[in-house]
Amino acid sequence: MNRKKNLGLWITLLIVVLISVIDIPTYSKFLLIALFLCSLLYYRRSVIYYIRANSKITSKNEDDWQYAWPLYRKAIKAGLQKPFVITAASMFLQRGDAEEGKQIIEDYLNAEKGRNENLDNVAKTMVSMAYWMDGDLEKAIECVREVHEGGYRDKNLFINYTTYALAAGDLEKAEELLEEAGQLEESSPGIRDSRGWLLLLRGKWEEADALFQELIEKGPRFPEPYVHHAQVKIHFGQVGDAIELLKKALDARYANTSGFSKEIIQQMIDGLENPETRRKSALEIDSDTASVALGKKPASIDQDFPPEEGYVLEGFAKPKKQKKSAPKQQNNVLVESDDRTPNTDLTEEDLEYIRKHNLE
């Protein structure tokens, strides 16, 4: 099995050995070997560019990301395999030029060669995010509905489709998708957050509080659960707790595809921290649950209120004692909590390709 995986390496070594035993001057042997290895690298340059780009885009230093884009472009131009092309497009969508990412995916979907049904579904799920970012919710839903009705299922499809359903106010569809997701919810903070979002929109505040408390203990790195949990705290008048959660949201990772912006979150923090605007800001956030949950600025209330020095406000709802907490995940294992941001991990299929072509 290992020999099969490393067939490219064995062939390369064989050719080098054959060149070395040819009865020609030594410098000619070195020249031939050098030409052969250079030709080999040139032939496989697309994957080499791709791997180098991934090393830049996964850097913790965001200044390194700018060096990934020309490498991805070179890889695609050099004939990068289609699954890697789609991954590169995802990076453009979420961390670079979203329009360029969208164009890469559309070019793939319009191509006649190199496509397969599974990859088509991945691409359509991904390009739905571009329409979502453009504000075309109807087109985004159309993309994921087509994929879903075709029988394809994966974590990203459920995250995207439930997000669009909740944004459209189709709570029945969102709940249907969450139930269908089943065990995927156990390992997906993104899907789990969508369930909490659904609870918010249905006014099930105590259940939402329990769910988000559990989710946030796992340290998700995207802003949505922190903002959603802050909404729960504000509903109960617990402004101090809400401010702390919103500050954690500011420290999260933001992808282009996120509906949230640091500017709006900072505005909410400023309004809640200022005693002169504390009650008004809290009422605005609590009165416009759907907009805030979607990442939008809450509608303004045309009314003035006296200053509030305390961080627990009277006149808001009081949490009821819960006989049973919100549905919990069946295991308490810390799961990867960044599934609303790009994933550049190579699949086993990707690794197999790299091993086969001696690119390890």
Side-chain angles (χ1 to χ4, degrees):
M1 179 64 71
N2 288 334
R3 289 190 176 184
K4 276 189 175 180
K5 290 181 179 179
N6 293 290
L7 180 60
L9 175 61
W10 290 112
I11 293 174
T12 300
L13 290 174
L14 177 61
I15 293 174
V16 170
V17 170
L18 289 173
I19 292 174
S20 66
V21 299
I22 296 175
D23 187 18
I24 56 176
T26 302
Y27 73 88
S28 298
K29 293 179 182 180
F30 283 126
L31 181 59
L32 284 174
I33 291 173
L35 287 172
F36 168 69
L37 293 177
C38 287
S39 299
L40 193 64
L41 288 174
Y42 182 80
Y43 175 70
R44 297 171 179 172
R45 68 194 185 283
S46 63
V47 176
I48 294 172
Y49 287 142
Y50 173 79
I51 293 172
R52 288 176 58 198
N54 277 357
S55 71
K56 298 296 183 183
I57 204 65
T58 54
S59 171
K60 292 181 179 179
N61 182 2
E62 294 187 12
D63 291 337
D64 290 339
W65 295 0
Q66 61 182 312
Y67 303 112
W69 313 127
L71 290 169
Y72 279 132
R73 293 186 189 105
K74 286 180 179 179
I76 294 170
K77 186 176 180 180
L80 186 65
Q81 282 204 330
K82 298 302 183 183
F84 297 165
V85 169
I86 298 303
T87 301
S90 173
M91 298 303 103
F92 277 102
L93 276 176
Q94 302 198 49
R95 292 184 175 179
D97 185 338
E99 281 301 314
E100 186 169 356
K102 178 182 176 183
Q103 188 61 55
I104 292 169
I105 297 173
E106 290 181 340
D107 287 345
Y108 162 78
L109 291 172
N110 291 326
E112 296 181 357
K113 296 181 179 180
R115 292 175 53 185
N116 64 65
E117 184 178 358
N118 189 63
L119 192 57
D120 283 0
N121 288 323
V122 172
K124 289 174 183 176
T125 301
M126 197 177 295
V127 80
S128 73
M129 294 190 294
Y131 298 123
W132 157 258
M133 293 160 63
D134 289 341
D136 192 345
L137 182 57
E138 185 177 344
K139 183 67 174 177
I141 291 175
E142 180 184 327
C143 285
V144 290
R145 182 190 295 124
E146 178 185 349
V147 172
H148 185 264
E149 289 179 351
Y152 180 80
R153 301 289 183 271
D154 80 346
K155 180 185 68 175
N156 290 330
L157 175 63
F158 282 114
I159 290 174
N160 288 9
Y161 203 171
T162 55
T163 295
Y164 307 153
L166 290 165
D170 190 348
L171 305 191
E172 289 73 20
K173 186 62 180 180
E175 183 171 27
E176 175 189 320
L177 290 165
L178 288 168
E179 293 306 310
E180 185 182 353
Q183 293 186 346
L184 283 175
E185 185 177 340
E186 296 178 16
S187 60
S188 172
I191 297 176
R192 193 70 174 154
D193 175 67
S194 291
R195 184 175 290 281
W197 183 0
L198 176 63
L199 292 172
L200 289 183
L201 296 182
R202 286 192 163 158
K204 297 183 178 181
W205 298 98
E206 288 81 9
E207 288 185 51
D209 193 18
L211 184 150
F212 286 120
Q213 183 64 45
E214 173 199 339
L215 176 55
I216 285 173
E217 286 175 358
K218 298 179 184 295
R221 295 195 291 265
F222 54 100
E224 285 86 343
Y226 298 103
V227 176
H228 291 156
H229 199 193
Q231 288 184 260
V232 176
K233 296 302 183 183
I234 288 172
H235 181 74
F236 294 132
Q238 299 165 2
V239 173
D241 291 341
I243 291 172
E244 291 304 311
L245 287 162
L246 290 172
K247 287 181 176 179
K248 288 181 179 180
L250 282 181
D251 293 332
R253 293 181 182 178
Y254 288 77
N256 295 339
T257 50
S258 173
F260 288 76
S261 72
K262 289 187 176 183
E263 291 75 17
I264 289 179
I265 294 173
Q266 186 62 60
Q267 288 173 17
M268 290 193 288
I269 292 173
D270 293 343
L272 294 170
E273 285 189 326
N274 186 347
E276 298 291 331
T277 57
R278 182 167 296 150
R279 177 170 288 273
K280 181 180 180 182
S281 295
L283 286 170
E284 287 174 345
I285 292 169
D286 191 42
S287 299
D288 199 358
T289 302
S291 293
V292 177
L294 191 54
K296 296 180 179 179
K297 186 176 179 179
S300 179
I301 295 176
D302 188 18
Q303 186 177 348
D304 294 324
F305 299 90
E308 290 276 0
E309 295 298 331
Y311 284 94
V312 177
L313 305 183
E314 296 296 326
F316 284 76
K318 299 294 182 184
K320 301 173 185 176
K321 290 185 178 180
Q322 284 287 95
K323 293 182 180 179
K324 186 178 180 181
S325 63
K328 291 188 177 182
Q329 294 167 259
Q330 295 178 4
N331 59 66
N332 294 318
V333 178
L334 183 65
V335 295
E336 172 56 51
S337 56
D338 202 18
D339 64 353
R340 283 190 188 265
T341 57
N343 174 20
T344 59
D345 291 342
L346 297 179
T347 65
E348 185 57 37
E349 181 179 308
D350 298 339
L351 294 172
E352 174 67 20
Y353 177 88
I354 291 170
R355 285 192 293 263
K356 181 178 178 182
H357 292 81
N358 190 27
L359 294 168
E360 292 180 295

